[in-house]
Amino acid sequence: FSIDPPSYFTVFGMDIYLYGVMIGLGFVLGMLYCARRAHRFGIKEDDVYDLMIWLIPLSILGARLYYVAFRLDYYIAHPDELLAIWNGGLAIYGGIIMGVIVVYCVCRWKKIPVAAFLDLVVFGLLIGQILGRWGNFFNREAFGGITDVFCRMGLTAPDGTTIYVHPTFLYESLWNLGVLIFLIVLERRNKRKYDGQFFALYLLLYGLGRAWIEG
């Protein structure tokens, strides 16, 4: 099927972009899954919702700050665009870094083991990333080099010519799905031996996949 970017629909005069819909859906489903499985990590369901009140807005802020930090010259020259996330510019690394800081602070406040909460949060994070990568498809971005692979993605230029490229958004979405299934199997078989184990596995496996796909 074909999508012409920017992909959006209009509600009460406001443009709702499919990229944002996918990110929002990922947040909601990730939060609900974590709340449902919280008891397996010795955490109350309400604690998950309390965390999300802080985690969602501050992670968006962290993702924006990380993006801005690596384009500082541009934003110094255009300070009016610092907060214009509707024009793009969120970096997942910044969101994860801020997320870890928020989890640490909330856990210290509620006297919850930080590493156990991080083990739980990675499930929601992976769900968000699996869905969020499809936002890249709707935006026609984050694609790879020219290829004739069977699952190639076509990009049509304004002059009507089409090139076919690696759908790297799809590769990462499927990789994250595999990591999520792997961690779910470990969790349901009671293979978590210590707090922080799943968070460490997430960093390792996501990092390996991202490095290969980026390459």
Side-chain angles (χ1 to χ4, degrees):
F1 59 96
S2 180
I3 296 291
D4 295 322
S7 307
Y8 64 91
F9 55 93
T10 302
V11 178
F12 300 119
M14 179 181 294
D15 294 336
I16 308 296
Y17 287 84
L18 293 181
Y19 181 91
V21 170
M22 298 307 295
I23 296 292
L25 185 61
F27 269 130
V28 171
L29 293 182
M31 177 182 65
L32 292 176
Y33 184 87
C34 288
R36 185 177 180 84
R37 304 300 294 176
H39 67 280
R40 298 275 294 175
F41 296 79
I43 297 167
K44 297 177 183 177
E45 184 175 336
D46 285 347
D47 289 333
V48 174
Y49 295 125
D50 289 343
L51 171 69
M52 291 302 166
I53 291 172
W54 296 97
L55 186 65
I56 292 175
L58 290 177
S59 291
I60 293 172
L61 176 63
R64 180 62 173 179
L65 289 174
Y66 193 99
Y67 182 88
V68 168
F70 285 90
R71 294 161 180 79
L72 203 53
D73 291 344
Y74 176 85
Y75 286 103
I76 288 175
H78 303 85
D80 56 311
E81 296 185 27
L82 274 172
L83 300 178
I85 61 172
W86 49 88
N87 290 332
L90 297 173
I92 183 63
Y93 302 113
I96 293 173
I97 292 168
M98 182 64 81
V100 171
I101 294 171
V102 172
V103 169
Y104 176 80
C105 292
V106 171
C107 286
R108 291 298 299 270
W109 169 43
K110 287 182 163 289
K111 297 180 173 56
I112 299 170
V114 176
F117 219 141
L118 288 174
D119 279 349
L120 175 62
V121 166
V122 296
F123 290 91
L125 184 59
L126 281 165
I127 291 170
Q129 289 175 304
I130 289 165
L131 291 170
R133 277 299 169 196
W134 283 88
N136 297 135
F137 169 74
F138 291 122
N139 274 8
R140 281 295 194 264
E141 62 189 6
F143 51 83
I146 294 175
T147 183
D148 61 357
V149 70
F150 76 96
C151 60
R152 60 193 178 274
M153 180 171 71
L155 299 174
T156 304
D159 63 3
T161 59
T162 301
I163 62 170
Y164 293 94
V165 296
H166 279 288
T168 46
F169 82 92
L170 175 63
Y171 299 161
E172 186 167 323
S173 183
L174 292 176
W175 176 268
N176 288 337
L177 177 61
V179 174
L180 176 64
I181 293 171
F182 175 66
L183 292 181
I184 287 175
V185 170
L186 289 183
E187 187 267 321
R188 291 178 183 249
R189 293 184 178 180
N190 298 313
K191 298 296 185 180
R192 191 172 75 97
K193 302 302 183 184
Y194 57 88
D195 290 346
Q197 178 183 354
F198 284 4
F199 183 65
L201 282 172
Y202 164 79
L203 293 177
L204 173 64
L205 295 174
Y206 175 74
L208 286 173
R210 184 65 180 261
W212 169 67
I213 292 165
E214 290 283 349

